Amino acid sequence: MDPPVDLTQDFIWYSSSDSVEDSYIYMVFISSRGNEYFCEIDEDYLTDRFNLTGLNTDVQYYQYALDLVTDVFDLDCDDDMREQIEKSARHLYGLVHARFITTTRGLAKMLEKYKKGDFGKCPRVMCASHPLLPTGMADLPHVQSVKLYCGKCEDLYNPKSSRHATIDGAYFGTSFQNILFQVYPALIPEKTIERYQPRIFGFKVHAAAALERWQTAKREEMQERLKDVGLEKAFKEDVELEDEMEEDDDEAANLDGVDDVLAE
């Protein structure tokens, strides 16, 4: 039986004449497990230097990485150097990807993946498995991993798979999902007021009691924060309580004085 082929040793040597399936983009960012969130960037977008403005300062071995991504890499280098260039190429592709998916063509490609549910479904029960969209918490790389946005509950979730949880959120940016809904307003889901209603033996928990517990917890949290900055008497009730305690102390002192006089 023939040994398995190590594609990582050969995939960087493909030329532009190879088929799409043999290209660096397809092999690393489209077909590899864990990269399902990415769409394929159009070749004409990658080769337009205007679209790459400013990325040369963010990517090590920028020119070699660009040559690798565009399948014109022909540098004869050792394995360590090749590994560094491949790492830079993946980073470069991710940064360009964040720009591409905000274009008309990029939005269309991501829309198809959204409709197929490639990004997963919302785990919130009330959202009824509404499809999610990848988004970043920051536009700068190495800040936060990718999150998943639900347009129905308008909340963020962590990816289920550990393969997706390590993807840099900057490869999708903070604006993509908002632009998508602006361009395709028909996709904006209908918001629901349906909420989970806690019950005890079939009876609804009184809303006022739940609100009071929440307010008490928030008040105690605020008191602790104020104590940390030296403002222990910021609440009116605290001042009134201290005044009452001082009045009680004064009354107790007066009674002690009366008892002393009567004793004499």
Side-chain angles (χ1 to χ4, degrees), residues 27 30 38 40 50 105 119 175 183 201 211 230 236 239:
M27 296 185 64
I30 306 302
F38 292 93
E40 185 175 356
F50 177 78
R105 179 63 177 158
F119 309 120
S175 304
V183 176
F201 299 120
L211 177 60
K236 176 182 178 182
V239 177

Side-chain angles (χ1 to χ4, degrees), residues 51-256:
N51 300 323
L52 311 178
T53 303
L55 296 182
N56 59 319
T57 59
D58 296 330
V59 180
Q60 190 179 22
Y61 305 118
Y62 169 78
Q63 190 57 55
Y64 292 145
L66 180 60
D67 290 344
L68 179 55
V69 171
T70 54
D71 294 316
V72 295
F73 186 81
D74 60 356
L75 177 67
D76 186 11
C77 58
D78 56 35
D79 292 342
D80 292 338
M81 181 68 171
R82 184 187 304 179
E83 182 179 353
Q84 291 297 321
I85 295 175
E86 291 173 3
K87 182 179 179 181
S88 295
R90 290 191 291 269
H91 184 50
L92 175 62
Y93 188 93
L95 295 177
V96 178
H97 183 269
R99 298 182 178 186
F100 176 69
I101 60 177
T102 60
T103 65
T104 302
R105 179 63 177 158
L107 287 170
K109 288 191 174 186
M110 294 296 278
L111 175 60
E112 291 301 316
K113 298 175 72 66
Y114 172 69
K115 289 180 176 180
K116 292 188 296 184
D118 288 352
F119 309 120
K121 304 295 180 62
C122 183
R124 183 174 178 269
V125 174
M126 301 301 179
C127 287
S129 298
H130 192 79
L132 299 169
L133 285 168
T135 185
M137 300 287 286
D139 291 312
L140 297 177
H142 313 304
V143 176
Q144 186 66 271
S145 60
V146 67
K147 306 301 177 185
L148 296 173
Y149 172 78
C150 175
K152 195 164 188 177
C153 63
E154 298 182 331
D155 211 344
L156 296 178
Y157 300 92
N158 290 315
K160 289 184 178 181
S161 174
S162 58
R163 299 192 305 271
H164 300 144
T166 58
I167 299 175
D168 199 319
Y171 296 164
F172 300 89
T174 59
S175 304
F176 158 64
Q177 77 280 3
N178 300 314
I179 295 176
L180 183 72
F181 288 131
Q182 289 289 327
V183 176
Y184 303 101
L187 293 178
I188 300 176
E190 182 180 359
K191 303 299 185 291
T192 175
I193 61 173
E194 184 180 7
R195 295 291 184 271
Y196 168 71
Q197 178 62 56
R199 296 173 181 270
I200 298 178
F201 299 120
F203 297 97
K204 294 181 180 179
V205 177
H206 199 282
L211 177 60
E212 184 177 354
R213 288 195 299 271
W214 179 83
Q215 290 174 332
T216 300
K218 288 298 181 181
R219 182 177 184 275
E220 292 175 352
E221 179 184 340
M222 179 62 72
Q223 285 177 318
E224 291 297 325
R225 291 170 59 189
L226 291 173
K227 286 180 180 180
D228 292 340
V229 296
L231 299 174
E232 299 185 14
K233 305 174 185 178
F235 285 92
K236 176 182 178 182
E237 292 82 0
D238 295 334
V239 177
E240 292 177 350
L241 179 60
E242 184 172 352
D243 292 341
E244 291 177 0
M245 293 177 64
E246 290 179 354
E247 291 177 359
D248 293 340
D249 291 341
D250 293 340
E251 291 178 0
N254 292 334
L255 291 176
D256 290 340

